[in-house]
């Protein structure tokens, strides 16, 4: 809300994007509450949720525009328009642009497809919209939700729950029922794969898609390329092209299920074109669909830290400096932080490896090693943080 608030009652179209069930509809409700507190009347609101059957007849831009024109004609004063899951409307961008031009209105839009929104917003609404990414709960938000639900617990126990259940908002009410929580996550995964990936991209080979997703989930936080996956399937006796693999993975990224992170040469100051890493929007989806989050705890912690950096508005790459690789280079407002994530600094050799990764870096931006260790092992100007403390820090700069 702190990011959205300055744009309320502003002529720019407010676009909220993100994974299904991550809280976009709730954000629209919070915006309405904010407007009411400012003196706006409820009868000035016009809302549509295009996943509801009662709006099925409005999934065409012209029909929707005609309905809006009729409803707005009965409003005294400015109209506030809320469109939830707008990508379901055919040529929706033309309708939204006409509303902006034709009516005295303030417009809020949510959507669950990055490609659909970015390409069509850029075409019709360039310079006339502001976009906000909505993510599942951070650990701090998870703690707040537990407290508000009357289920407070220690940070240590809450983090164990967070590793298992993740940050999908609904699950903060179900922390004591892990089986039902994982079933809920499985159902979300299935609906996103079916609706936002298979149907929207006309994918015919569903089995191949699911196998590719499983490969990516198994290798969260590991570098690989489209060729790597294609060779893996070839070794399994199944021929698939690199282009098909990349198309399927990109469809998952468009649905906000996966996030691709490029590698950056910190010495040559350039983005490398091979061997990206991928992370999943919520680490608990990996547990529900693939399993092994506790076994692969290093990958899980890395996923959690990556999503936290995104929530805080950082642009994130993987740093490569000579033979050394740094898990995350996070940039914002011409500032940077460098972050190494590991499970435990169990030996001096491990500590030297993790802290030593920063050695080739010449600048003085903050450097962090993040782990599950309870004792502070900071050295040589490099800060060591327990992951819970790192996630709850107000600022990293």
């Amino acid at each position: 809300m702190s990011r959205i608030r300055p744009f309320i009652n502003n002529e720019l179209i407010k676009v909220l994007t993100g994974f299904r069930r991550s809280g976009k509809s709730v954000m629209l409700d919070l915006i309405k509450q904010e407007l009411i507190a400012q003196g706006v009347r409820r009868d000035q609101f016009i809302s549509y949720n295009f996943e509801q059957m009662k709006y099925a007849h409005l999934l065409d831009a012209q029909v929707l525009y005609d309905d809006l024109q009729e409803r707005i004609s009965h409003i005294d004063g400015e109209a506030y328009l809320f469109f939830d899951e707008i990508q379901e409307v055919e040529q929706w961008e033309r309708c939204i642009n006409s509303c902006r031009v034709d009516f005295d209105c303030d417009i809020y839009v949510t959507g669950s497809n990055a490609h659909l929104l970015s390409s069509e917003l850029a075409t019709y609404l360039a310079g006339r919209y502001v976009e906000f990414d909505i993510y599942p709960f951070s650990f701090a938000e998870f703690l707040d939700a537990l407290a508000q639900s009357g289920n407070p617990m220690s940070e240590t126990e809450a983090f164990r729950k967070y590793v298992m259940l993740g940050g999908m908002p609904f699950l903060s009410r179900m922390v004591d029922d892990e089986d039902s929580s994982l079933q809920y996550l499985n159902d979300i995964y299935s609906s996103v794969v079916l609706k936002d990936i298979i149907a929207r991209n006309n994918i015919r080979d569903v089995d191949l898609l699911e196998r590719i997703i499983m490969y990516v989930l198994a290798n969260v936080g590991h570098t690989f390329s489209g060729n790597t996956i294609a060779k893996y399937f070839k070794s399994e006796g199944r021929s698939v092209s690199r282009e098909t693999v990349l198309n399927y993975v990109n469809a998952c990224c468009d649905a906000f299920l996966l996030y691709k992170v490029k590698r950056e040469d910190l010495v040559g100051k350039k983005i490398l074109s091979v061997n990206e890493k991928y992370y999943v929007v919520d680490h608990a989806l990996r547990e529900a669909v693939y399993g092994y989050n506790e076994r692969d705890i290093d990958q899980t912690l890395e996923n959690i830290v990556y999503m936290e950096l995104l929530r805080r508005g950082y642009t994130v790459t993987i740093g490569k400096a000579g033979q050394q690789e740094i898990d995350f280079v996070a940039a914002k407002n011409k500032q940077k932080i460098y972050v190494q994530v590991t499970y435990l600094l169990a030996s001096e050799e491990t500590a030297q490896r993790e802290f030593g990764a920063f050695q080739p870096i010449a600048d003085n931006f903050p450097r962090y090693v993040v782990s599950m260790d309870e004792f502070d092992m900071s050295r040589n100007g490099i800060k060591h943080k327990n992951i819970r403390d790192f996630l709850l820090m107000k600022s990293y700069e």
Side-chain angles (χ1 to χ4, degrees), residues 303-330:
N303 204 119
I304 290 170
V305 169
Y306 171 72
M307 293 307 301
E308 181 67 23
L309 293 170
L310 286 193
R311 282 188 198 92
R312 294 183 183 228
Y314 286 99
T315 300
V316 184
T317 57
I318 300 146
K320 184 178 184 301
Q323 298 302 310
Q324 303 282 14
E325 187 158 285
I326 295 162
D327 289 334
F328 301 122
V329 181

Side-chain angles (χ1 to χ4, degrees), residues 12-264:
L12 293 175
I13 297 164
K14 276 65 71 177
V15 181
L16 282 60
T17 59
F19 190 67
R20 287 187 185 271
R21 305 290 173 262
S22 60
K24 300 186 298 296
S25 301
V26 173
M27 291 306 304
L28 290 186
D29 289 338
L30 291 173
I31 291 167
K32 290 175 185 176
Q33 292 176 25
E34 189 93 6
L35 289 166
I36 290 168
Q38 294 178 11
V40 176
R41 306 184 313 276
R42 287 186 181 276
D43 62 16
Q44 292 175 262
F45 298 158
I46 297 177
S47 302
Y48 302 89
N49 183 340
F50 295 109
E51 290 197 308
Q52 293 181 293
M53 278 301 296
K54 67 177 180 178
Y55 297 119
H57 63 295
L58 299 176
L59 301 184
D60 172 84
Q62 185 61 57
V63 177
L64 176 59
Y65 180 84
D66 292 343
D67 188 75
L68 276 163
Q69 192 170 34
E70 166 63 19
R71 295 180 67 178
I72 288 174
S73 67
H74 298 293
I75 291 178
D76 180 19
E78 185 176 9
Y80 293 83
L81 310 182
F82 299 89
F83 304 93
D84 207 354
E85 300 296 354
I86 191 68
Q87 76 277 350
E88 302 298 333
V89 178
E90 194 73 28
Q91 295 190 314
W92 62 270
E93 67 285 355
R94 299 180 67 179
C95 175
I96 298 298
N97 196 38
S98 289
C99 291
R100 182 188 63 80
V101 173
D102 298 341
F103 306 131
D104 178 17
C105 61
D106 190 20
I107 301 174
Y108 301 84
V109 169
T110 81
S112 300
N113 187 285
H115 175 74
L116 190 72
L117 290 166
S118 62
S119 60
E120 294 172 0
L121 284 168
T123 301
Y124 282 86
L125 302 170
R128 301 187 182 97
Y129 72 96
V130 58
E131 187 170 359
F132 303 95
D133 297 315
I134 307 299
Y135 301 107
F137 283 165
S138 66
F139 180 52
E141 291 166 333
F142 184 76
L143 285 174
D144 286 346
L146 290 181
Q148 290 180 29
S149 66
N151 197 6
M153 57 182 71
S154 70
E155 281 184 9
T156 303
E157 176 62 12
F159 187 71
R160 192 196 74 78
K161 291 285 187 182
Y162 187 65
V163 168
M164 176 63 67
L165 303 180
M168 296 303 287
F170 181 76
L171 293 185
S172 60
R173 313 172 197 174
M174 300 171 59
V175 291
D176 293 325
D177 191 344
E178 291 186 358
D179 288 342
S180 296
S181 296
L182 293 175
Q183 180 62 50
Y184 172 80
L185 290 166
N186 241 309
D187 292 344
I188 290 177
Y189 167 81
S190 298
S191 66
V192 167
V193 169
L194 184 64
K195 194 167 188 177
D196 292 335
I197 301 175
I198 295 171
R200 194 161 292 285
N201 295 279
N202 298 315
I203 288 175
R204 295 185 180 88
D205 196 337
V206 175
D207 178 67
L208 177 62
L209 171 69
E210 291 183 338
R211 287 172 180 268
I212 289 173
I213 293 174
M214 288 300 167
Y215 181 94
V216 177
L217 292 179
N219 289 280
V220 156
H222 295 165
T223 53
F224 58 86
S225 65
N227 281 332
T228 307
I229 303 178
K231 288 177 182 176
Y232 168 77
F233 281 112
K234 187 174 183 180
S235 72
E236 296 281 303
R238 180 159 189 172
S239 179
V240 56
S241 72
R242 170 182 174 275
E243 288 71 25
T244 298
V245 169
L246 291 178
N247 286 340
Y248 282 17
V249 172
N250 287 338
C252 294
C253 293
D254 286 341
F256 302 102
L257 174 63
L258 301 175
Y259 285 80
K260 178 168 68 175
V261 191
K262 293 184 177 294
R263 296 166 75 233
E264 176 185 4

